Amino acid sequence: MYDSSDPRSRMAAAAKAPSISGHYTPAEYGLYYEEDPQETAADTRTWMSRGQNFLVAYSEAEPGAVLERKGQIDEYVLLLPDKGKGAVIDAPEGRTVAEGFSLVILPPGDTRIALPDGGRIARIFSTRSPDLVARCSNAASFAAEHPRIPPFEPWPEPPAGYRVRAYSLDIPKEPGRFGRIFRCTTLMVNYLDPQQGPRDVTKLSPHHHDDFEQGSLALDGAFTHHLRWPWTTDMTAWREDEHAYCKSPSLAVIPPPAIHTSRGMEEGLNQLVDIFSPPRADFSKQPGWVLNADAYPMPPEA
């Protein structure tokens, strides 16, 4: 259910009723602003939490910090949300300098991220790396796979090959386009248009997903995530509504088929980033929505 001003209101699936059979899994919250980090080094603190198919490693780094991955199994995404605080990235094909306020797709294999000016960064991975999965604060919640989510299948490899791909996030809002969406073989990331001040409570967007989860990473401000699970004939499966107030930085993992909408709460900037793994076919089919669609083909079945 979307307000008519929301670009998602044009999508054919917007009015579908949610699936309402079986028991539900709860939402997950990583409140990085009040939890201890999962990794602490002399120049970096990193918090890690996950959904079934993706995980987030959020770091606060001092100038000169370096983050490395050896033998990474698949592509991952780096977010550099602060203007003026970029990264120098070394990968098998060479060196890339990424400016602050950008989204970077990194290839499989060995990668090194140097942060000359420090700052906030978020790395988003699939859950195919056991070493990363084991460090997540909520690893126990996914000891068994959640049955409503199909097994992870990566999307096709980029025809031009794997390499570092850096994209500026300094993209003006465009009528009819929803946020700033990028995809790779493992992830779809929507760096939503900035929200200044509290969200209009008469223009919320309660909706659901049948068979995939959503991560909502709050980088600035605060959000209330409103969730409601449909009733079924089995009352033992019912869950109470949630109105989870999360400051930044934080990650909310919203499971299917919870009806959900998120509301920015603070007077200044409220910045949310939505995460899906694998990429969403419905968003990918919307003309002009995926800003790097030319680099990553859709699977034939999509």
Side-chain angles (χ1 to χ4, degrees):
M1 183 185 300
Y2 302 107
D3 181 79
S4 59
S5 63
D6 191 311
R8 291 170 292 178
S9 63
R10 304 197 314 266
M11 294 168 57
K16 284 180 61 179
S19 170
I20 55 170
S21 61
H23 282 247
Y24 301 128
T25 51
E28 297 281 329
Y29 303 99
L31 307 180
Y32 306 149
Y33 54 88
E34 68 177 26
E35 298 172 357
D36 292 332
Q38 278 62 61
E39 293 182 354
T40 302
D43 53 11
T44 313
R45 297 189 302 158
T46 300
W47 292 259
M48 300 176 68
S49 51
R50 64 167 292 187
Q52 179 154 300
N53 289 341
F54 70 88
L55 66 89
V56 170
Y58 174 87
S59 300
E60 295 177 351
E62 299 296 325
V66 173
L67 297 167
E68 293 187 271
R69 285 294 293 164
K70 297 289 189 182
Q72 171 63 26
I73 190 172
D74 52 16
E75 288 186 302
Y76 67 103
V77 168
L78 167 68
L79 296 180
L80 299 166
D82 296 322
K83 291 185 177 180
K85 295 188 176 182
V88 179
I89 301 163
D90 289 306
E93 82 278 2
R95 173 165 289 184
T96 301
V97 177
E99 295 183 355
F101 201 50
S102 64
L103 178 150
V104 188
I105 298 171
L106 281 75
D110 297 349
T111 50
R112 180 181 186 272
I113 302 168
L115 302 163
D117 301 300
R120 306 177 297 162
I121 75 163
R123 290 167 294 161
I124 309 169
F125 299 88
S126 79
T127 49
R128 299 171 71 196
S129 297
D131 64 316
L132 297 176
V133 166
R135 285 178 248 167
C136 290
S137 61
N138 62 336
S141 297
F142 295 88
E145 290 192 351
H146 293 188
R148 293 181 181 273
I149 303 171
F152 173 81
E153 290 288 343
W155 276 30
E157 296 181 8
Y162 291 118
R163 60 180 176 83
V164 175
R165 292 177 166 89
Y167 303 97
S168 172
L169 291 168
D170 193 7
I171 301 168
K173 186 174 182 178
E174 183 177 304
R177 193 189 72 224
F178 181 54
R180 291 164 282 185
I181 301 175
F182 300 88
R183 71 175 183 237
C184 63
T185 56
T186 54
L187 298 157
M188 174 176 279
V189 176
N190 187 0
Y191 206 98
L192 293 164
D193 293 320
Q195 181 188 150
Q196 296 290 340
R199 187 175 181 182
D200 185 345
V201 297
T202 69
K203 294 183 178 180
L204 300 182
S205 55
H207 63 284
H208 82 286
H209 311 303
D210 279 331
D211 58 2
F212 60 88
E213 62 192 349
Q214 173 179 315
S216 289
L217 175 64
L219 291 176
D220 297 283
F223 291 84
T224 297
H225 302 290
H226 302 280
L227 287 84
R228 168 169 290 181
W229 284 262
W231 288 355
T232 71
T233 56
D234 180 0
M235 190 174 178
T236 66
W238 295 4
R239 297 187 64 86
E240 295 290 337
D241 290 356
E242 291 185 14
H243 306 279
Y245 177 80
C246 299
K247 294 188 284 188
S248 57
S250 62
L251 175 70
V253 180
I254 300 166
I259 301 166
H260 59 280
T261 189
S262 297
R263 181 163 57 103
M265 303 297 294
E266 293 195 354
E267 292 299 328
L269 173 63
N270 297 284
Q271 182 63 64
L272 200 64
V273 179
D274 283 347
I275 302 162
F276 307 96
S277 180
R280 288 179 62 163
D282 57 350
F283 279 9
S284 295
K285 291 176 181 177
Q286 302 302 311
W289 280 25
V290 179
L291 298 173
N292 67 338
D294 57 336
Y296 288 93
M298 295 174 63
E301 62 271 18

